[in-house]
Amino acid sequence: MANAKKSLRKLLVFTLAAGMIGALSLAAWQWRYWIKPIRIGVEGGYPPFSKKEADGSVTGLEIDWANLFCARMRARCELVPTEFDSLIPDLQAGRIDAIMASLSITEKRLKQVDFSQSYYSVPSAWIAKRGAYQFVLPGEWLGTKKVAVLKGSPREQWLVENYRNLERKAVSSEADAYKALSDGSADFAFTSILVAKTKFLGTPEGAGFEVVGNPTWLNTGAGGGVGVAVRKGDVDMKKAFDKAIAATIRSGEYKQAAARYVDFDLNERM
């Protein structure tokens, strides 16, 4: 009996000590980012996710999510407006600690940075003249067709892998893809369904065009979706964002924020 009590006492002491160590570790991480805030690089050129205001601040859905994630982490955060091309170099150089700027998780980027779990994914869509096509499937018939797609994007990579017969017209912006549709230099535009709906199909210029077939979810071999980028090897930061994202989705705050900006699911595949 005495030995059993002694063993139980040891077990309780061990459990209590392990719990205290875990709590101290968490508190130390959180305390670090109250003294020095987490600097999150953001970019204001992709509404409704991010939009640069006249005073230089950045607003939008991604900014709302960033604030929710930081609240979940109980960390103080600073949003740092940054040019898109400078985001990853600034992260690697230590000028920012994380990136929330609609960065798709790709194999190329995973060689440069680590990512949290995906916190949103927007399907792609084929856009064409109204009534011209019912669907777009791979086949020889596409050999005479041309598609406008953002140069160097995951969508262009996906087309290379899945629609080899389709001639690609690489453009520098999705606005240029819609311009190519309008002037007849492309038969299709392959773009974000969100941008298509908000920036083209709902405008006078897009009145004669439509989404063809069902939305397309890309699979680029790296998990897909958009994640928070952190420096290579920053395990604590990655874990903190992973937990914050999951908790925000479970609580319903994620969808409440999204509903203020879009009318469809942004995490269908999570």
Side-chain angles (χ1 to χ4, degrees), residues 55-108:
D55 63 0
S57 64
V58 179
T59 61
L61 174 53
E62 207 156 17
I63 307 308
D64 291 355
W65 278 336
N67 290 325
L68 287 172
F69 299 160
C70 289
R72 283 284 173 180
M73 291 188 287
R74 289 183 288 175
R76 190 160 59 95
C77 295
E78 176 188 352
L79 302 181
V80 183
T82 307
E83 292 297 321
F84 188 83
D85 290 344
S86 299
L87 284 165
I88 289 179
D90 280 6
L91 178 65
Q92 292 172 325
R95 289 185 283 271
I96 55 177
D97 305 302
I99 299 170
M100 285 189 67
S102 293
L103 278 187
S104 298
I105 303 170
T106 65
E107 291 177 354
K108 179 179 179 181

Side-chain angles (χ1 to χ4, degrees), residues 104-115 154 157 161 219-225 232:
S104 298
I105 303 170
T106 65
E107 291 177 354
K108 179 179 179 181
R109 286 177 178 151
L110 283 169
K111 295 176 182 177
Q112 302 172 295
V113 299
D114 288 338
F115 278 97
Q157 177 188 338
E161 295 171 356
N219 180 4
T220 59
K232 273 288 186 186

Side-chain angles (χ1 to χ4, degrees), residues 136-179:
V136 184
L137 295 175
E140 294 297 328
W141 70 280
L142 287 175
T144 61
K145 306 298 179 183
K146 184 178 289 187
V147 59
V149 63
L150 187 63
K151 183 179 180 180
S153 66
R155 291 183 184 87
E156 185 181 33
Q157 177 188 338
W158 187 86
L159 287 174
V160 169
E161 295 171 356
N162 295 277
Y163 283 78
R164 296 180 181 178
N165 293 329
L166 186 57
E167 183 181 351
R168 297 181 306 283
K169 178 182 175 68
V171 295
S172 58
S173 70
E174 297 208 330
D176 288 339
Y178 306 133
K179 185 178 179 181

Side-chain angles (χ1 to χ4, degrees), residues 219-232:
N219 180 4
T220 59
V226 167
V228 181
V230 301
R231 272 185 293 279
K232 273 288 186 186

Side-chain angles (χ1 to χ4, degrees), residues 16-28:
L16 180 61
M20 290 178 65
I21 291 170
L24 288 170
S25 176
L26 177 62

Side-chain angles (χ1 to χ4, degrees), residues 222-267:
V226 167
V228 181
V230 301
R231 272 185 293 279
K232 273 288 186 186
D234 194 342
V235 177
D236 286 341
M237 187 75 75
K238 172 180 161 43
K239 285 183 178 179
F241 273 107
D242 282 342
K243 291 178 180 179
I245 292 165
T248 304
I249 291 172
R250 283 196 307 270
S251 71
E253 295 170 293
Y254 174 95
K255 281 193 173 182
Q256 289 171 11
R260 296 195 290 269
Y261 296 89
V262 299
D263 60 0
F264 57 88
D265 197 351
L266 286 167
N267 69 339

